[in-house]
Amino acid sequence: APKCLHFCDDASVLGAPFFIMEYRPGLVIGGEMPAAVAAREAPGAQLGGVLVGLLDDLHRVDPDAVGLGDLGRPEGFLERTAAGWIKRARLAWDGEPPPVVDEIADWLGADRSLPEQATSFLHNDFKLDNVVLSGHGMNWTDQLMVGFGKTNVDAVLAVMHGRAPRSVVNRE
């Protein structure tokens, strides 16, 4: 991932704390598919395969082996995540959400007896426009969102972001 070069917590500069990230050349796809990519055979399958591989690589990192075994709170991760989603949904409708929000909250709160799953690093915002594609491999951005949790959450969030991309930035 690109390195953070400078962090500024003085909100008077830009209106919020910010950081300057190391430049990485490549292509960020966040809108229409660039012609050079679209012309490839099965570009969606190619990009999807690369993205799944990159996410799998992240999930395979052993936190203890890289000195980050005490990062985050993996216990209760799914419950906290679901509660956060529901809270944001209710706030989005000024506290009067449509009935489906309560139905989803009830469904998420039900005992699902999910099989145990190892805790791993999560990206928490993994999607095509958070990846810099280049001939030298791929980098992901938004690394400040990384935490510990269940890998199925990253997979669900990645699928949720499968809507039409917004813009394309060529950084060659």
Side-chain angles (χ1 to χ4, degrees):
K3 294 178 180 129
C4 178
L5 300 176
H6 178 74
F7 173 75
C8 178
D9 61 359
D10 182 353
S12 70
V13 176
L14 291 177
F18 67 95
F19 68 94
I20 298 172
M21 187 171 68
E22 173 185 45
Y23 175 79
R24 294 288 174 101
L27 180 67
V28 177
I29 302 174
E32 291 185 32
M33 190 72 65
V37 176
R40 294 179 176 207
E41 184 177 334
Q46 287 183 13
L47 285 172
V50 169
L51 291 173
V52 167
L54 184 62
L55 192 57
D56 183 57
D57 289 346
L58 174 65
H59 292 162
R60 290 179 184 274
V61 173
D62 178 356
D64 291 322
V66 296
L68 296 172
D70 59 351
L71 176 72
R73 299 177 299 146
E75 299 79 20
F77 172 80
L78 291 174
E79 293 81 5
R80 286 192 312 276
T81 301
W85 287 343
I86 296 303
K87 178 181 177 181
R88 288 186 293 281
R90 289 190 173 122
L91 290 171
W93 277 285
D94 294 324
E96 297 181 29
V100 69
V101 171
D102 289 326
E103 292 171 25
I104 292 170
D106 291 344
W107 184 84
L108 287 171
D111 178 15
R112 300 275 171 237
S113 300
L114 296 173
E116 279 301 311
Q117 184 182 26
T119 298
S120 70
F121 284 119
L122 296 181
H123 186 281
N124 280 318
D125 194 25
F126 191 78
K127 54 187 177 173
L128 186 57
D129 63 359
N130 276 339
V131 174
V132 180
L133 304 163
S134 75
H136 306 290
M138 293 180 28
N139 296 285
W140 59 80
T141 60
D142 279 358
Q143 62 269 26
L144 295 178
M145 303 271 297
V146 170
F148 269 150
K150 307 301 183 192
T151 57
N152 55 0
V153 172
D154 256 351
V156 168
L157 291 174
V159 170
M160 286 174 37
H161 288 297
R163 64 195 188 301
R166 294 180 300 281
S167 64
V168 175
V169 178
N170 190 342
R171 298 170 38 167
E172 290 295 346

